[in-house]
Amino acid sequence: MNTVEVIKPGVLALLMDAGRKGQHGLGLTTGGPLDADAFFWANTLVRNTPNATAIEVSVGGMELRANAEVQIAVTGAQMPLFIDGNPRAIWQSHTVAAGSTIKLDFAKQGARAYLAVAGGFDVKPQFGSTATVVREGIGGLNGSALATGDALPVLAQRPTDDQMLPVNLWPTYPQHPVLRVIEGYQVAHFSAAQRALFYSHEYQLSQQCDRMGYRLRGPALQCDIGGIVSEGICLGAIQVPADGQPIVLLNDRQTIGGYPKIGSVFSADLALLGQLMPGATVSFAPISAEAAHAELLLAERRRLAATQQLERLS
């Protein structure tokens, strides 16, 4: 069986597919890549299906050995890629000879990169997904982050030509993104003055940031209710606990919660947040549900056109 061996796992490396859907009733969260676009393009560049299992590399410092010839692609954060010590470009695929080493250095910009192999990593799904959620001990290899010595099976696939995503299609990761917010029904419990405060000030990412959620620091928000009956929580929900400091909930969030929510970050903007490190700053702006739906439709059309362009160039 073809395998890729983990020599150094780096800060945090997780096997990941597109996410565990439809399992909230069992208390299992979604998981999946924090930067869904980068994950998609990593798989696309090696001609995988969009849900193929890849590696999410947080911060960097990972080193692998290919025990058979494989084709790889790395996308996302600016993590310098080296194959046998030679620098290689990200946002394109590379054929790696058997016995070669693959190294991702520490990120120069952004926080998360995605490494896909042609055919995908051959990992048994749990509850319909291979996405690793360490808090729940599920997915990946034994529900854990990758560790030195792990052997990752690779599904066999016929060799194909290497290809590059055109530079004009690369996403940009601003240092200070403006995250669009779809307000929910609980926004009525925040006065007009409190909403103005939220939208007119920047917030800093605290050190308490992980795949479960990002705790922010900035002007404290006041709400006329101290809590609610626990209810389901969507991706990107912005909880406001008693101290008034917002928490943006991400892929590994709990499935229910009892803090009031001012709204939810628009899903298309969550990748921008997931590519930030603690200490970075963000601002917020409202967007209507109708405008968000239109934006998602346009984004899907752009992705389809980009995929077709890539196929024409290959």
Side-chain angles (χ1 to χ4, degrees), residues 103-144:
K103 180 180 179 181
L104 276 174
D105 212 338
F106 293 97
K108 297 182 179 297
Q109 183 179 356
R112 290 173 176 85
Y114 296 85
L115 188 151
V117 297
F121 292 103
D122 188 10
V123 182
K124 184 178 179 180
Q126 292 180 294
F127 296 95
S129 172
T130 65
T132 309
V133 181
V134 175
R135 177 172 56 85
E136 296 176 347
I138 192 171
L141 298 181
N142 303 314
S144 301

Side-chain angles (χ1 to χ4, degrees), residues 4-16 53-57 62-64 115 121 123 130 132 134 139-153:
V4 172
E5 179 185 353
V6 179
I7 301 173
K8 296 179 182 178
V11 176
L12 180 67
L14 302 171
L15 288 170
M16 200 66 65
T53 301
I55 303 175
E56 179 180 86
V57 184
M62 185 179 71
E63 189 171 347
L64 308 171
L115 188 151
F121 292 103
V123 182
T130 65
T132 309
V134 175
L141 298 181
N142 303 314
S144 301
L146 296 182
T148 299
D150 282 343
L152 311 179

Side-chain angles (χ1 to χ4, degrees), residues 46 56 79 120 150 172 179 220 245 302:
V46 292
E56 179 180 86
M79 287 185 193
D150 282 343
T172 57
L179 306 176
Q245 299 298 319
R302 287 193 296 266

Side-chain angles (χ1 to χ4, degrees), residues 129-215:
S129 172
T130 65
T132 309
V133 181
V134 175
R135 177 172 56 85
E136 296 176 347
I138 192 171
L141 298 181
N142 303 314
S144 301
L146 296 182
T148 299
D150 282 343
L152 311 179
V154 178
L155 288 166
Q157 181 150 312
R158 290 186 305 170
T160 58
D161 294 335
D162 293 335
Q163 55 182 350
M164 180 183 74
L165 186 67
V167 175
N168 66 299
L169 300 179
W170 295 10
T172 57
Y173 302 122
Q175 293 295 307
H176 178 90
V178 177
L179 306 176
R180 292 167 289 180
V181 175
I182 302 168
E183 295 178 343
Y185 74 94
Q186 290 163 9
V187 75
H189 295 287
F190 296 85
S191 69
Q194 290 299 304
R195 295 198 296 273
L197 183 71
F198 176 64
Y199 289 123
S200 62
H201 288 77
E202 67 179 33
Y203 284 82
Q204 185 179 52
L205 275 63
S206 75
Q207 293 299 316
Q208 295 174 289
C209 292
D210 57 24
R211 285 183 47 86
M212 185 174 178
Y214 280 18
R215 186 181 291 271

Side-chain angles (χ1 to χ4, degrees), residues 222-265:
Q222 296 179 2
C223 181
D224 67 15
I225 52 174
I228 59 172
V229 175
S230 290
E231 63 182 11
I233 300 177
C234 70
L235 179 63
I238 307 170
Q239 287 188 330
V240 181
D243 65 3
Q245 299 298 319
I247 305 170
V248 181
L249 297 178
L250 297 176
N251 300 55
D252 290 2
R253 67 198 180 279
Q254 70 274 26
T255 57
I256 60 173
Y259 291 129
K261 297 171 286 293
I262 196 168
S264 299
V265 174

